[in-house]
């Protein structure tokens, strides 16, 4: 036999997978391998194939030391370093291989993949693009999938989607590319398209954990927590500790209102990985859903404290809002400064509703809304027929609050007053079927009441199509219970933002916003993506038949001193920022014996407000907290107070209307944004513009002066009482005719093929 025969025999063992025998044969040949390259390389590769990476590396490096320009050998060495998670060394080795042989495709692919694994997405993309420029062989589905991952890491989502689709064109059964394409569609707000594509892939090709995770997230985005739970549970059946599946399961359970189960799952996920921002945010959401605001704030705070990469999240804003609800103002100025800077730079998400509560900045509110829409609801709106040019306008109001709720109370009377000859009115309820008195009024007032809380998106859209809606009105916006995905898909050819959310939706699929000249002054349209429609008086509807009960009400019953001056604010606690509270404490200090009557919303807020009063030198006993009573008594008890003090940047809205309707004057200072100008709008419609002041100093001085001048305050109360029967604020029939004129103009423009455009409705007194 020739001298090469023992090496050929060892190679044959190696190629047959008899690795232990091959390794022994290679070792016997090492002493005779005078160059120290060939046998060391083959021995290293055999050891690597057997799983002994450290030993393999020693032999490959020994060979490379003797042949430093052998590109294939360097590439093999880099692969072992990469498998041993020594990626920086692997990168350097792949670069040496490429220097030795620029056309070595394997080394270039390995370099690009290694950069991707290190999260160096820009460099990885350059490496993939260099491969494409050289037209090297091997640009298969995996290549395009990995290139897409680099683009996704750079937030070039559209380009990434194109790369993943290129991978699927080469290999339609590539599960990684299918999952990645689905994720990109979701990041583009096209969750419906993502779910449809992934569902079809699973039916045809079968499921993988990666596919199921993305499918589950898409189903959550479409407000389908039940099917999402099934997807996550399928992953967990194969891997009970899968972190992303546990997080998804917790989110799905929260969506199903199974909060205790959700928290158990999320707590388990957090115990496994205490640094998981996603799990902590989801736990905060679950705590908030079960109204444990302190626990929610703690979870959000823990999440916000963990450093994060390029992908932004809302943990900091959610922490700030959770603390506001508890009147915990810890580090609020620093948090607001960070949020404002991050939102301006595009490095942090600022959720739209939280933005309203934290900042009096309508331009920032628009940016926050637009980013939210871009991240969650950027899919194409369905093509729908134009509205009918004649006949009854089919109007669909959509809300999660058709019940005993501020929105329910405000909208019920308007629905009762709609002209049934001119309008066919539908209520699409995406909230609970409570059966309470307000929901009963609404059911009786409309042509059809559609219970849609548990219906999937497609079923709700089908109901809207069957109703033949001309106009759909979103009464939620970005407030609780909203289903913005319905409007993103297209419920009607004309879609309107009204009542529930005092700011722009930032969405091109919402055509109009209902406002007035106070809440959105002329010239402020640049802060709105909707065409602004101004009603002639306050944009907020009220109830001219509101039940105000006064019999049997007394100050003593509510813990108020009989002879003291009673300041009042029944706004939600998240509207009470330290600037307002500081002013209130100075006002109490200047009005001896006076008290401040506040809403008792939650125990932590009550405790913190009392502590804050004490810290400012005010006896906490001078804060009196109002518990829950029925609606009629709640309205009536306002008359026991002397003056309502408003908040900023988020004004009293329904609470101001309640106070004025009960004869209690409201003192307000308007801000720059819609949310901070509603009380001024209501006061103008009630004929009390003198209660609108233009500075913080005037606000405090006016409150103190009115407390010291009973005659002046009495005259204001008398003027309000005289105005109530006829003022525009509580002339609901007049309001109904005016908003109907707005709807008719919207319908007529769309029926004529004209785009949405802002306009002002001329007043139509009387019914």
């Amino acid at each position: 036999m020739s001298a090469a025969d023992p090496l050929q025999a060892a190679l044959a063992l190696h190629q047959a997978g008899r690795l232990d025998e091959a390794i022994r044969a290679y070792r016997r040949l090492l002493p005779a391998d005078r160059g120290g390259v060939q046998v060391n390389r083959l021995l290293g590769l055999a050891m690597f194939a057997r799983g002994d990476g450290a030993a393999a590396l020693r032999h490959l490096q020994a060979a490379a030391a003797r042949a430093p320009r052998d590109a294939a050998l360097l590439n093999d060495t880099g692969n072992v370093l990469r498998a041993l998670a020594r990626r920086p060394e692997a990168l350097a080795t792949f670069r040496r291989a490429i220097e030795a042989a620029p056309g070595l495709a394997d080394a270039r692919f390995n370099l690009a993949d290694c950069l991707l694994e290190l999260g160096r997405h820009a460099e990885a993309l350059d490496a993939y693009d260099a491969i494409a420029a050289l037209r090297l062989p091997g640009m298969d589905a995996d290549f395009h999938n990995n290139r897409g991952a680099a683009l996704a890491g750079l937030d070039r989502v559209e380009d990434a989607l194109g790369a993943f689709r290129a991978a699927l064109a080469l290999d339609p059964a590539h599960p990684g590319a299918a999952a990645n394409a689905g994720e990109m569609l979701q990041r583009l707000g096209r969750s419906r398209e993502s779910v449809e594509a992934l569902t079809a892939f699973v039916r045809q090709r079968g499921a993988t954990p990666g596919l199921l995770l993305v499918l589950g997230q898409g189903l959550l985005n479409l407000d389908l927590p039940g099917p999402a739970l099934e997807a996550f549970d399928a992953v967990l059946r194969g891997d009970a500790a899968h972190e992303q599946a546990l997080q998804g399961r917790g989110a799905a359970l929260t969506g199903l209102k199974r909060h205790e189960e959700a928290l158990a799952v999320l707590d388990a996920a957090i115990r496994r990985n205490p640094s998981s921002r996603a799990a902590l945010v989801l736990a905060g959401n679950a705590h908030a859903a079960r109204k444990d605001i302190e626990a929610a704030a703690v979870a959000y705070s823990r999440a916000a404290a963990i450093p994060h990469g390029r992908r932004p999240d809302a943990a900091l804003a959610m922490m700030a809002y959770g603390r506001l609800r508890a009147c915990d103002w810890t580090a609020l100025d620093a948090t607001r400064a960070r949020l404002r800077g991050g939102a301006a730079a595009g490095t942090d998400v600022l959720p739209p509703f939280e933005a309203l509560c934290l900042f009096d900045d309508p331009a920032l509110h628009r940016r926050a809304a637009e980013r939210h829409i871009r991240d969650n609801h950027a899919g194409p709106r369905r093509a729908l027929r134009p509205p009918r040019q004649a006949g009854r306008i089919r109007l669909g109001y959509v809300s999660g609050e058709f019940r005993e709720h501020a929105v329910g109370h405000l909208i019920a009377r308007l629905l009762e007053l709609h002209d049934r000859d001119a309008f066919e009115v539908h209520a699409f309820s995406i909230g609970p079927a409570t059966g309470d008195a307000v929901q009963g009024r609404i059911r009786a007032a409309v042509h059809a009441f559609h219970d849609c809380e548990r219906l999937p998106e497609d079923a709700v859209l089908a109901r809207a199509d069957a109703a033949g809606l001309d106009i759909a009105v979103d009464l939620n916006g970005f407030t609780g219970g909203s289903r913005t995905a319905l409007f993103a898909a297209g419920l009607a050819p004309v879609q309107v933002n009204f009542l529930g959310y005092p700011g722009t939706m930032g969405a091109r699929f919402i055509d109009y916003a209902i406002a007035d000249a106070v809440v959105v002054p002329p010239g402020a349209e640049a802060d709105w993506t909707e065409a602004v429609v101004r009603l002639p008086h306050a944009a907020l509807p009220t109830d001219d038949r509101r039940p105000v009960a006064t019999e049997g009400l007394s100050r003593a019953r509510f813990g108020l001193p009989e002879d003291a001056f009673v300041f009042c604010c029944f706004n939600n606690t998240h509207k009470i920022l330290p600037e307002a509270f500081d002013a209130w404490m100075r006002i109490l200090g200047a009005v001896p014996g006076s008290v401040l009557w506040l809403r008792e919303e939650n125990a932590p807020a009550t405790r913190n407000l009392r502590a804050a009063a004490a810290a400012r030198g005010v006896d906490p006993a001078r804060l009196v907290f109002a518990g829950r009573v029925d609606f009629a008594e709640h309205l009536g008890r306002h008359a026991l107070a002397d003056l309502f003090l408003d908040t900023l940047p988020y004004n009293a809205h329904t609470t101001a209307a309640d106070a004025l309707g009960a004869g209690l004057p409201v003192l307000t200072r308007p801000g720059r944004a819609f949310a901070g100008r509603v009380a001024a709008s209501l006061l103008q419609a009630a004929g009390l513009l003198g209660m609108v002041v233009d500075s913080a100093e005037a606000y405090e001085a006016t409150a103190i002066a009115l407390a010291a001048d009973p005659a002046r305050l009495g005259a204001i109360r008398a003027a309000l009482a005289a105005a109530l029967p006829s003022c525009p604020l509580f002339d609901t029939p007049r309001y109904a005719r005016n908003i109907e004129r707005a709807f008719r103009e919207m319908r007529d423009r769309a029926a004529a093929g004209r785009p949405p455009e802002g306009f002002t409705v001329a007043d139509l007194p009387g019914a």
Side-chain angles (χ1 to χ4, degrees):
M1 295 179 66
S2 70
D5 287 339
L7 181 59
Q8 293 299 325
L11 271 171
L13 291 168
H14 189 163
Q15 291 166 353
R18 295 161 63 179
L19 297 176
D20 290 338
E21 296 172 73
I23 288 168
R24 287 195 293 270
Y26 288 139
R27 280 177 171 156
R28 286 194 296 269
L29 291 170
L30 266 179
D33 184 14
R34 295 187 179 183
V37 176
Q38 187 177 25
V39 175
N40 265 313
R41 181 187 181 197
L42 292 169
L43 179 56
L45 292 174
M47 287 180 165
F48 184 48
R50 191 178 66 175
D52 191 349
L57 183 61
R58 286 195 298 272
H59 288 284
L60 289 168
Q61 287 179 329
R66 292 174 173 83
R69 300 287 297 171
D70 187 325
L73 175 57
L74 289 168
N75 184 63
D76 291 338
T77 307
N79 280 334
V80 176
L81 286 164
R82 183 177 163 200
L84 292 171
R86 292 165 61 175
R87 291 187 180 88
E89 296 170 78
L91 279 180
T93 307
F94 291 136
R95 292 189 199 281
R96 287 169 55 202
I98 293 167
E99 288 173 8
L104 182 61
D106 284 351
R108 287 191 176 272
F109 282 112
N110 289 332
L111 173 70
D113 292 348
C114 193
L115 286 164
L116 182 63
E117 291 165 3
L118 286 167
R120 292 160 62 172
H121 298 111
E123 296 172 77
L125 181 61
D126 288 342
Y128 290 122
D129 287 347
I131 292 169
L134 291 169
R135 300 180 183 274
L136 294 175
M139 288 191 295
D140 57 8
D142 286 337
F143 168 82
H144 289 287
N145 184 58
N146 291 350
R147 184 174 179 273
L151 288 161
L154 295 169
D155 285 330
R156 291 174 55 181
V157 182
E158 288 277 10
D159 293 334
L161 177 60
F164 296 134
R165 285 178 166 167
L168 288 168
L170 291 171
D171 180 5
H174 196 297
N180 289 332
E183 184 181 353
M184 292 307 101
L185 287 168
Q186 290 171 29
R187 283 172 63 175
L188 290 167
R190 295 156 63 181
S191 292
R192 190 182 318 103
E193 188 179 345
S194 170
V195 167
E196 290 171 355
L198 291 171
T199 301
F201 189 97
V202 169
R203 286 198 191 109
Q204 296 168 12
R205 314 284 182 179
T208 66
L211 280 164
L212 290 170
L213 288 170
V214 180
L215 177 59
Q217 185 57 54
L219 290 163
L220 284 178
N221 294 345
L222 293 176
D223 301 310
L224 295 169
L229 182 62
E230 294 175 11
F232 295 126
D233 282 349
V235 177
L236 291 167
R237 283 194 289 273
D239 180 1
H242 196 292
E243 183 174 0
Q244 288 177 275
L246 287 170
Q247 293 170 10
R249 187 169 202 274
L253 288 167
T254 300
L256 292 168
K257 298 181 172 56
R258 293 160 59 180
H259 304 311
E260 298 302 329
E261 293 176 75
L263 286 169
V265 170
L266 294 167
D267 287 346
I270 293 166
R271 283 195 297 273
R272 289 188 176 93
N273 182 6
S275 297
S276 173
R277 290 171 61 88
L280 286 164
V281 168
L282 291 168
N285 294 346
H287 284 301
R290 62 195 290 269
K291 304 191 184 305
D292 188 343
I293 60 173
E294 286 185 302
V298 168
Y300 294 141
S301 179
R302 287 178 60 190
I306 298 170
H308 63 292
R310 289 182 58 86
R311 294 306 310 280
D313 66 41
L316 187 66
M318 296 164 81
M319 176 198 78
Y321 176 70
R323 287 179 175 176
L324 285 186
R325 290 191 63 202
C327 295
D328 175 1
W329 305 317
T330 304
L332 179 58
D333 287 342
T335 300
R336 283 190 289 194
R338 181 177 161 192
L339 286 169
R340 180 183 287 278
T347 57
D348 280 296
V349 169
L350 182 55
F353 180 75
E354 285 77 357
L356 300 185
C357 299
L358 290 162
F359 301 104
D360 183 27
D361 185 342
L364 183 148
H365 297 165
R366 173 172 175 162
R367 290 197 301 274
E370 286 181 318
R371 173 140 199 175
H372 178 86
I373 292 296
R374 186 169 65 248
D375 288 349
N376 296 282
H377 302 291
R381 180 171 162 184
R382 296 188 304 162
L384 296 171
R385 56 146 186 85
R388 299 164 185 81
Q389 293 184 335
R392 288 199 299 174
I393 295 174
R394 297 184 183 184
L395 186 61
Y397 288 94
V398 183
S399 178
E401 318 295 2
F402 286 135
R403 57 186 175 86
E404 287 277 356
H405 181 276
V407 169
H409 284 292
L410 291 173
I411 202 69
R413 183 62 176 149
L414 172 60
L415 297 179
E416 291 170 343
L417 287 167
H418 269 312
D419 181 349
R420 292 177 182 243
D421 292 330
F423 290 86
E424 179 180 297
V425 182
H426 295 254
F428 288 80
S429 176
I430 54 175
T434 59
D436 61 46
V438 173
Q439 193 165 93
R441 282 181 68 187
I442 293 170
R443 284 181 181 273
V446 297
H447 173 81
F449 188 96
H450 305 272
D451 285 302
C452 300
E453 181 190 18
R454 301 190 182 281
L455 291 184
E457 178 184 320
D458 289 347
V460 181
L461 294 173
R463 287 203 179 191
D465 291 345
L469 295 184
D470 299 306
I471 301 174
V473 183
D474 186 357
L475 298 177
N476 274 105
F478 297 122
T479 60
S482 62
R483 290 180 66 177
T484 308
L486 294 171
F487 287 88
L491 281 166
V494 177
Q495 302 193 134
V496 183
N497 170 14
F498 173 48
L499 182 60
Y501 184 72
T504 182
M505 292 282 291
R508 297 298 173 183
F509 53 77
I510 301 293
D511 303 298
Y512 293 96
I514 300 293
D516 61 56
V518 176
V519 292
V520 183
E525 292 84 357
D527 297 319
W528 292 75
T529 54
E530 304 91 335
V532 177
V533 175
R534 294 182 177 89
L535 299 184
H537 303 291
L540 194 81
T542 58
D543 186 349
D544 62 333
R545 295 184 178 177
R546 61 202 177 281
V548 182
T550 56
E551 187 175 349
L553 300 186
S554 67
R555 284 190 167 188
R557 177 181 165 188
F558 294 102
L560 298 168
E562 290 292 342
D563 299 324
F565 193 94
V566 177
F567 295 102
C568 169
C569 182
F570 286 160
N571 287 359
N572 289 323
T573 52
H574 66 259
K575 297 184 181 182
I576 304 174
L577 270 63
E579 297 86 350
F581 193 77
D582 288 342
W584 293 347
M585 294 304 98
R586 289 190 290 269
I587 291 168
L588 290 185
V591 181
S594 61
V595 298
L596 177 61
W597 197 14
L598 301 170
R599 175 182 175 180
E600 188 168 28
E601 185 173 340
N602 60 76
T606 299
R607 183 177 65 247
N608 288 331
L609 287 169
R610 284 179 171 144
R616 289 156 176 78
V618 174
D619 182 355
R622 294 177 70 184
L623 304 187
V624 181
F625 290 88
R628 288 186 176 276
V629 295
D630 70 45
F631 184 61
E633 283 199 346
H634 168 67
L635 293 179
R637 67 182 172 181
H638 282 80
L640 302 173
D642 295 297
L643 180 64
F644 189 108
L645 299 175
D646 199 10
T647 52
L648 199 69
Y650 206 132
N651 274 178
H653 294 185
T654 307
T655 44
D658 291 345
L660 292 170
L664 175 63
V666 174
L667 177 65
T668 192
R669 176 168 69 96
R672 296 168 53 213
F674 187 130
R677 301 180 64 83
V678 174
S681 165
L682 300 177
L683 285 162
Q684 176 171 281
L688 290 183
L689 266 178
M691 298 299 289
V692 181
V693 297
D694 60 4
S695 69
E697 294 76 16
Y699 176 87
E700 292 184 38
T702 302
I704 294 165
L706 288 172
D709 191 343
R712 179 184 170 193
L713 182 58
I716 293 170
R717 293 185 76 117
L720 176 59
L724 285 179
S726 59
C727 71
L729 181 58
F730 292 101
D731 189 345
T732 318
R734 180 178 182 178
Y735 183 98
R737 300 294 82 79
N738 285 328
I739 200 169
E740 285 174 352
R741 295 176 75 192
F743 289 142
R744 191 172 289 109
E745 174 68 17
M746 295 175 196
R747 189 277 306 270
D748 291 348
R749 289 189 64 85
R754 296 155 63 198
E757 186 176 342
F759 59 90
T760 297
V761 177
D763 194 15
L764 185 65

